[in-house]
Amino acid sequence: MRALLAVGLLSAPLAASASDNSLITQFCKTAVKAELHRAGTVPPEGMVDDTCRCFLAEVQNGAGIQTAQATCKAKAAETYGL
């Protein structure tokens, strides 16, 4: 999920009304899938969506990019047994 750092390159701030269809969420999903692919891991059903919803919520609630990544990566590992 380190690839989620690429989301930090976006210059526009996150809007509180951002939805699951937001550009940020799409970037997140692409980044998470790419990192898992590089690690040789097939994500369990729902993991990518859950991780990106977590990331977006954390950032919208004021967490920094790295903190949101770490929090959501830990939650995904616990939830999905990775």
Side-chain angles (χ1 to χ4, degrees):
M1 289 194 211
R2 289 178 297 241
L4 288 176
L5 188 55
V7 173
L9 298 176
L10 295 175
S11 59
L14 293 175
S17 63
S19 70
D20 281 343
N21 294 322
S22 73
L23 184 60
I24 293 166
T25 300
Q26 294 308 312
F27 278 124
C28 176
K29 289 179 180 182
T30 299
V32 171
K33 288 175 185 177
E35 183 169 338
L36 291 168
H37 179 64
R38 282 190 302 274
T41 302
V42 175
E45 182 77 28
M47 180 184 167
V48 173
D49 289 335
D50 288 347
T51 301
C52 291
R53 274 193 298 272
C54 172
F55 177 78
L56 187 59
E58 289 290 317
V59 173
Q60 286 177 332
N61 287 325
I65 300 294
Q66 292 179 346
T67 300
Q69 285 177 258
T71 298
C72 297
K73 187 173 185 175
K75 284 181 182 179
E78 182 179 328
T79 302
Y80 294 96
L82 300 177

